[in-house]
């Protein structure tokens, strides 16, 4: 242990020396050791608070639950202060955590949600410092790897190196905004700010001003007469189209980047998509495997779930992979994720398993294609929105995903076929499958409507009179 401590001290000193040599600014926040030290101190305080506050209280008692809630709240406030002090990627992590309503205690998500719309502003010097620090994370992670051999998050370095320069290139963001606006132009409910190119550079982006309520603000929607289910359904349509059909995915849909507003003229609710710096381009082979996997998950076809999970790098951990993708228990995945809503007991099971299976989750994240990492993050953020709107695991979302998967697979098959007969056959199969989905959607609508209840009551009455 002493040898490891000495290694750590030596490597830290060397890294700090190199860092200080190349640094022109002497703000304490510019020093990586200050930010890391602050994070370690915050972690220690939070851990000590949990250990001491709950130690002498009977587990499961009312007093225990009350004190646990208080510790959750204090810890969440400390995390928020850490994010605001360290800024940079800490803000990004805090925003992500604030969207995980289905996974984290309410005290955490409620406290961290402020980072979606009130994140501290950064100076140019601080932005440049974020770049230096993020690209220097490799040194920090290598040090941690020396002390803790089981630490397996080196893929974070690769992703940070690849994505951060793109996020900070505003011309790239402007091009992404125009591309997605054109790509999804058939969705009249989507609004993307117009870019003013004559006043934009790599460091300055001038765009149309748009405002609205955050997409997870159910109270705002109810006050403004916006249909919550319609917003959830339309958001699902957008992302299904991006992921399965186009393979060009906006990967930062936290509530501060997705706004909703009712148009006074038409009365229609619009979804406003902001912050187009981070997109994931999916390869054709990955996109097809992902389509097939989701089709298998929706149909509860376990053989195909295993087959396509393995093709996407999950290996023997395919049951865990399926649970991570759907945020459902393995029992629900086997039964069919569209068969029942998420219950409180299932939520508790998922949260418990997330901690228990952390080593396996780490291994899985290292094995899957890099394209999958941002998709998993995007899935988490979207499910957080659905959870806040109480529309999670709705039948309509799975129907929209099925439509997009069918269209994507059919388009791919036609592109690979040189036979006119085969292409016609594929198109016919596609049309029949889409028609079946439309028919099933009509059945669900009738079943849930007053008209449907009348029709069912009439049929039952006629059946009773017949016999």
């Amino acid at each position: 242990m002493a040898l490891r401590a000495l290694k750590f001290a030596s490597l830290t000193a060397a890294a700090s020396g190199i860092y200080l040599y190349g640094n022109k600014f002497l703000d304490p926040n510019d020093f990586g050791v200050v930010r890391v030290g602050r994070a370690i101190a915050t972690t220690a305080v939070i851990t000590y608070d949990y250990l001491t506050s709950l130690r002498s209280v009977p587990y499961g008692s009312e007093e225990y639950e009350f004190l646990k809630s208080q510790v959750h709240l204090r810890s969440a406030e400390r995390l928020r202060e850490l994010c605001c002090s360290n800024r940079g990627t800490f803000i990004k992590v805090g925003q992500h955590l604030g969207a995980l309503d289905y996974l984290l205690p309410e005290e955490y998500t409620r406290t961290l949600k402020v980072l979606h719309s009130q994140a501290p502003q950064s100076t140019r010097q601080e932005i440049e410092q974020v770049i230096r620090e993020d690209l220097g994370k490799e040194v920090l992670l290598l040090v941690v790897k020396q002390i803790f051999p089981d630490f397996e998050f080196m893929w974070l370095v690769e992703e940070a190196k690849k994505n951060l320069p793109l996020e900070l290139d505003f011309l790239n963001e402007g091009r992404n905004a125009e591309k997605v606006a054109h790509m999804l132009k058939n969705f009249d409910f989507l609004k993307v700010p117009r870019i003013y190119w004559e006043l934009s550079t790599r460091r300055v982006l001038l765009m149309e001003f748009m405002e609205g309520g955050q997409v997870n603000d159910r109270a705002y929607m109810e006050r403004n007469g916006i249909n919550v289910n319609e917003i959830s359904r339309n958001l699902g349509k957008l992302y299904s189209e991006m992921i399965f059909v186009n393979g060009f995915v906006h990967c930062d849909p936290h509530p501060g980047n997705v706004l909703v507003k009712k148009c006074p003229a038409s009365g229609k609710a619009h979804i406003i998509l902001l912050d187009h710096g981070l997109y994931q381009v999916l390869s054709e082979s990955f996109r097809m495997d992902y389509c097939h996997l989701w089709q298998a998950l929706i149909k509860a076809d376990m053989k195909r779930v295993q087959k396509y999970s393995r093709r996407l790098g999950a290996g023997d951990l395919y049951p865990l992979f399926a649970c991570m993708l759907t945020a459902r228990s393995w029992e629900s995945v086997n039964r069919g994720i569209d068969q029942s809503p998420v219950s409180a007991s299932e939520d508790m099971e998922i949260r418990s398993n997330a901690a228990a299976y952390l080593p396996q989750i780490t291994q899985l994240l290292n094995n899957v294609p890099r394209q999958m990492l941002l998709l998993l993050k995007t899935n988490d953020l979207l499910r957080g929105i659905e959870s806040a709107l109480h529309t999670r695991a709705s039948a309509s979302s799975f129907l929209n995903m099925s439509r997009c998967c069918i269209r994507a697979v059919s388009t791919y098959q036609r592109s690979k076929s040189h036979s006119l007969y085969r292409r016609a056959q594929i198109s016919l199969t596609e049309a029949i499958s889409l028609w079946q989905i439309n028919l099933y959607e009509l059945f669900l609508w009738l079943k849930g409507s007053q008209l449907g209840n009348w029709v069912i009551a009439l049929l039952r009455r006629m059946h009773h009179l017949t016999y």
Side-chain angles (χ1 to χ4, degrees):
M1 189 67 187
L3 182 60
R4 284 188 175 179
L6 184 60
K7 273 188 190 178
F8 176 73
S10 303
L11 286 167
T12 302
S16 299
I18 295 169
Y19 177 84
L20 289 171
Y21 180 80
N23 192 15
K24 297 179 182 178
F25 309 108
L26 295 178
D27 188 315
N29 280 319
D30 285 349
F31 298 106
V33 67
V34 172
R35 296 190 182 199
V36 173
R38 189 183 285 135
I40 292 172
T42 301
T43 304
V45 171
I46 289 174
T47 303
Y48 181 79
D49 196 0
Y50 274 104
L51 289 174
T52 56
S53 299
L54 302 175
R55 182 170 51 194
S56 58
V57 184
Y59 178 80
S61 64
E62 288 187 15
E63 183 183 5
Y64 181 90
E65 293 301 321
F66 174 76
L67 286 176
K68 184 174 72 171
S69 177
Q70 295 300 304
V71 178
H72 282 338
L73 183 58
R74 289 196 297 270
S75 301
E77 289 171 347
R78 289 174 182 130
L79 278 181
R80 184 186 63 199
E81 290 169 10
L82 173 66
C83 291
C84 291
S85 298
N86 279 7
R87 303 192 179 193
T89 51
F90 284 80
I91 294 290
K92 286 285 186 183
V93 172
Q95 289 173 337
H96 191 179
L97 293 175
L100 299 181
D101 298 84
Y102 70 95
L103 188 59
L104 297 179
E106 182 190 357
E107 294 86 352
Y108 279 88
T109 55
R110 186 176 67 240
T111 303
L112 294 172
K113 272 183 171 66
V114 69
L115 298 175
H116 291 152
S117 56
Q118 299 176 35
Q121 296 179 353
S122 299
T123 65
R124 175 180 166 182
Q125 291 178 358
E126 289 170 329
I127 291 171
E128 290 174 350
Q129 179 58 31
V130 168
I131 298 174
R132 285 195 295 273
E133 258 192 21
D134 273 38
L135 298 184
K137 279 181 181 176
E138 188 165 1
V139 176
L140 176 60
L141 290 177
L142 285 171
V143 171
V144 178
K145 181 72 174 174
Q146 289 289 322
I147 303 171
F148 305 107
D150 294 332
F151 189 83
E152 295 292 347
F153 284 99
M154 295 307 293
W155 52 267
L156 283 171
V157 178
E158 302 167 20
E159 293 305 303
K161 282 182 176 179
K162 183 180 72 175
N163 295 325
L164 193 65
L166 293 175
E167 288 193 75
L168 296 177
D169 181 350
F170 289 157
L171 291 180
N172 176 67
E173 179 171 347
R175 288 190 292 269
N176 287 342
E178 289 193 340
K179 180 175 179 177
V180 81
H182 178 74
M183 190 176 80
L184 302 176
K185 62 184 178 182
N186 291 332
F187 294 120
D188 59 357
F189 57 81
L190 173 65
K191 301 298 174 185
V192 176
R194 175 190 167 195
I195 307 298
Y196 295 92
W197 289 110
E198 66 277 11
L199 297 171
S200 298
T201 69
R202 287 186 71 253
R203 297 186 177 185
V204 178
L205 184 65
L206 186 66
M207 65 181 73
E208 179 184 2
F209 176 73
M210 291 185 172
E211 59 182 341
Q214 291 190 0
V215 72
N216 64 341
D217 192 342
R218 187 182 177 98
Y220 169 86
M221 295 188 207
E222 290 173 349
R223 286 197 308 271
N224 289 275
I226 298 173
N227 187 311
V228 172
N229 290 315
E230 180 186 355
I231 291 296
S232 181
R233 185 166 57 248
N234 286 342
L235 187 62
K237 285 181 181 178
L238 288 179
Y239 271 86
S240 291
E241 194 79 17
M242 281 191 271
I243 293 170
F244 299 114
V245 179
N246 295 287
F248 185 69
V249 190
H250 180 288
C251 285
D252 203 12
H254 69 69
N257 287 341
V258 186
L259 308 180
V260 294
K261 186 176 183 181
K262 191 169 186 176
C263 176
S266 65
K268 291 183 177 180
H270 291 157
I271 293 177
I272 302 167
L273 197 58
L274 306 175
D275 193 353
H276 299 270
L278 184 59
Y279 273 75
Q280 178 68 68
V281 179
L282 307 180
S283 69
E284 191 172 62
S285 59
F286 175 92
R287 186 166 56 89
M288 287 301 103
D289 286 339
Y290 198 60
C291 282
H292 287 303
L293 175 57
W294 268 104
Q295 285 180 310
L297 287 167
I298 292 169
K299 295 176 181 177
D301 184 341
M302 290 301 106
K303 286 185 178 180
R304 287 168 65 84
V305 167
Q306 179 177 353
K307 174 184 175 181
Y308 288 104
S309 294
R310 288 183 180 278
R311 288 185 62 162
L312 289 168
D316 292 336
L317 293 174
Y318 71 90
L320 177 61
F321 185 50
C323 292
M324 287 173 63
L325 279 177
T326 59
R328 302 296 300 269
S329 66
W330 182 238
E331 181 183 347
S332 293
V333 171
N334 275 275
R335 188 171 59 244
I337 55 178
D338 63 338
Q339 296 302 307
S340 60
V342 183
S343 64
S345 60
E346 185 178 3
D347 250 343
M348 184 63 68
E349 180 186 346
I350 292 167
R351 294 182 189 194
S352 300
N353 287 342
Y357 287 96
L358 186 57
Q360 290 86 347
I361 292 172
T362 303
Q363 180 186 343
L364 186 59
L365 292 176
N366 276 279
N367 291 342
V368 296
R370 302 299 87 183
Q371 300 169 78
M372 181 61 71
L373 299 177
L374 284 178
L375 282 190
L376 287 170
K377 172 196 171 186
T378 303
N379 283 347
D380 281 345
L381 291 170
L382 291 174
R383 269 193 293 269
I385 292 169
E386 289 178 345
S387 181
L389 298 180
H390 309 301
T391 58
R392 196 165 154 216
S394 65
S396 63
S397 66
F398 294 124
L399 291 174
N400 286 325
M401 289 175 70
S402 296
R403 283 193 184 95
C404 287
C405 288
I406 289 167
R407 286 170 47 217
V409 171
S410 298
T411 300
Y412 173 77
Q413 289 175 339
R414 277 193 296 269
S415 71
K416 299 299 179 182
S417 175
H418 301 292
S419 165
L420 184 61
Y421 172 76
R422 175 60 183 151
R423 288 200 294 268
Q425 190 180 41
I426 293 167
S427 297
L428 180 61
T429 303
E430 176 188 12
I432 292 172
S433 298
L434 293 174
W435 178 80
Q436 288 174 332
I437 291 175
N438 292 338
L439 194 62
Y440 181 61
E441 190 171 41
L442 177 62
F443 166 75
L444 292 177
W445 179 81
L446 285 172
K447 186 179 176 182
S449 68
Q450 188 64 43
L451 175 61
N453 290 333
W454 289 342
V455 171
I456 291 171
L458 178 61
L459 290 174
R460 284 177 178 169
R461 184 179 179 85
M462 292 173 63
H463 179 77
H464 179 72
L465 291 173
T466 304
Y467 293 95

